[in-house]
Amino acid sequence: GGALVFGFFSVESLLRDIPAERLPRLFDRMRERVAKAGLGDLHLQANQVTAANAARLKELGFHSATRYHTAGPLLATVPKGGRVPYGKLAVHTVEYWRELRKKCAVPFFPDCPVGWDNSPRIGAAAKMVTQRSPDQFERLMRAAQYFLAESGAGVPKIVYLSSWNEWTEDHVLLPDTVYGYSYLEAVRRVFRD
């Protein structure tokens, strides 16, 4: 709606530092300052929504939500050093979008993760997504389009793509020497219209 979007990565971390009853007033002050600066309205988004906090988002003062990298909940069920094929991640992702949309008190927007492998930082204990490919990523983005079509009128058709340059997590849309521009070409095929 033309508002600036400010995303809070972790609602849990925010609530650890600021009591829930103080958030709406804090958010009101943020919006007032943005308006006073001549920047218009401010849209507040929870970027790491979970099933545990989704129902409270509206009362806390958020306008929308997404879940950055849906591999997190799935990888939490995998032992250290475990592997999950991208196809399984994609199925889990769509199921998790549906669960979060049902529980969210605000519009929920899907996020399509490219992959996950943080072994450069963690070593052998890393949990990773294997067998990723541009065609599977394209299928997940198409699933996001269908998901949004089911969201009904009035919900903006916004899909998040993660990530542009998370090199230490093998979570990258940027062209590289392995995949070239194939991930970006998949994005263009899905969203060109």
Side-chain angles (χ1 to χ4, degrees), residues 3-8 23-24 26-28 30-31 42-47 57 60-65 106:
L4 299 174
V5 176
F6 187 93
F8 287 87
L23 275 185
L26 174 67
F27 289 165
D28 286 344
M30 287 174 67
R31 282 191 291 277
L42 182 64
H43 179 102
L44 300 170
Q45 184 174 73
N47 296 130
L57 295 177
L60 294 172
F62 290 99
H63 300 112
S64 67
V106 295

Side-chain angles (χ1 to χ4, degrees), residues 138-153:
E138 184 171 342
R139 289 185 189 115
L140 183 58
M141 290 185 291
R142 293 222 182 267
Q145 286 180 314
Y146 285 107
F147 174 84
L148 286 171
E150 296 169 354
S151 295

Side-chain angles (χ1 to χ4, degrees), residues 118-161:
N118 62 351
S119 60
R121 286 188 285 133
I122 297 183
K127 302 172 183 184
M128 68 178 70
V129 174
T130 59
Q131 304 167 11
R132 74 176 177 92
S133 66
D135 64 316
Q136 289 188 44
F137 182 63
E138 184 171 342
R139 289 185 189 115
L140 183 58
M141 290 185 291
R142 293 222 182 267
Q145 286 180 314
Y146 285 107
F147 174 84
L148 286 171
E150 296 169 354
S151 295
V155 176
K157 304 305 182 220
I158 297 171
V159 175
Y160 288 91
L161 306 177

